[in-house]
């Protein structure tokens, strides 16, 4: 996988110490009714459904053998409940909130289905309130760096959203898109953070046949 050096415009040059590298597992929250209906959620605070709770428990079981120090979460309810289930399953304290891991804002698209979105785009209707992927990366990546700095040499589960995970992966892989459904509910995407270097160690995206994305030209 590609290793990208992230440097905040106000940051000094990085001092990298491999012994303090931190592992962060980005986990997408469990399913909601809007997920099932194919509706765009964004910042709309839709709760998780029972399928999502089962997915969260399965993710906790999957993560369990690896050993984790803490769980953090987006403030949205679907992520918070997922994180609480995972923290309980791992025997860890209640999750801390990371506001910069909240879902990408989709403005007037929120609540629409994918087909309704395509219809709007075909009519070139302006999408008010849509957050750019650049904006998502500009808040999410520094949040992950701060999280790693708080847990040097540790391992943290960060429960967030499909739009955030996609934006981070696209940034690190230098791509413009991923296959539809690449970031599934309950999926895990493991990063290694060394200083200000972020590396994708493994990702559930690999399981759908795009493990070599890093070597492809952007599409």
């Amino acid at each position: 996988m590609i290793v990208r050096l992230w440097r905040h415009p106000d940051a000094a040059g990085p001092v990298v110490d491999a012994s303090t590298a931190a592992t962060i597992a980005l986990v997408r929250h469990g399913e909601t009714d809007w997920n099932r209906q194919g509706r765009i959620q964004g910042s709309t605070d839709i709760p998780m459904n029972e399928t999502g709770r089962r997915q969260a428990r399965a993710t906790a079981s999957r993560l369990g053998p690896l050993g984790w120090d803490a769980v953090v979460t987006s403030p949205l309810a679907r992520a918070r409940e997922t994180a609480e289930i995972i923290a309980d399953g791992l025997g860890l304290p209640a999750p801390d909130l990371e506001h910069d891991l909240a879902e990408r804002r989709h403005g007037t698209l929120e609540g629409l289905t994918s087909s309704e979105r395509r219809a709007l785009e075909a009519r070139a209707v302006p999408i008010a309130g849509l957050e750019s992927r650049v904006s998502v990366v500009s808040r999410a990546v520094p949040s992950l760096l701060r999280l790693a700095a708080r847990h040097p040499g540790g391992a943290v589960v960060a429960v967030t959203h499909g739009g955030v995970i996609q934006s981070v992966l696209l940034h690190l892989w230098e791509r413009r898109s991923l296959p539809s459904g690449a970031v599934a509910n309950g999926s895990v995407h493991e990063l290694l953070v060394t200083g200000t270097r972020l590396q994708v160690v493994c990702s559930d995206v690999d399981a759908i046949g795009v493990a070599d994305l890093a070597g492809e030209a952007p599409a």
Side-chain angles (χ1 to χ4, degrees), residues 6-12 138 142:
W6 173 274
R7 182 178 296 179
H8 190 279
D10 299 327
S138 295

Side-chain angles (χ1 to χ4, degrees), residues 79-163:
R80 284 203 323 268
E81 186 176 3
T82 300
E84 289 164 359
I85 291 171
I86 290 174
D88 183 66
L90 300 180
L92 294 172
D96 289 328
L97 297 184
E98 290 288 336
H99 290 272
D100 285 333
L101 296 182
E103 177 61 300
R104 181 186 184 191
R105 299 182 297 277
H106 281 75
T108 54
L109 293 176
E110 295 185 13
L112 302 184
T113 64
S114 297
S115 60
E116 289 169 339
R117 175 180 185 166
R118 287 193 297 271
L120 281 181
E121 292 173 339
R123 292 159 43 203
V125 175
I127 308 301
L130 177 62
E131 184 180 11
S132 70
R133 289 203 183 275
V134 171
S135 172
V136 176
V137 169
S138 295
R139 60 178 169 82
V141 171
S143 176
L144 297 175
L145 294 179
R146 292 191 298 270
L147 183 59
R150 294 201 300 271
H151 297 274
V156 181
V157 178
V159 180
T160 181
H161 304 267

Side-chain angles (χ1 to χ4, degrees), residues 25-40:
L26 296 179
V27 172
R28 188 183 178 194
H29 62 81
E31 184 190 81
T32 70
D33 287 346
W34 275 23
N35 287 147
R36 181 175 294 179
Q37 297 163 11
R39 296 189 182 278
I40 299 166

Side-chain angles (χ1 to χ4, degrees), residues 180-203:
S180 177
V183 180
N185 293 108
S187 59
V188 179
H189 312 269
E190 187 176 325
L191 308 179
L192 183 68
V193 185
T194 308
T196 54
R197 295 179 186 273
L198 283 76
Q199 180 179 7
V200 182
V201 176
C202 61
S203 167

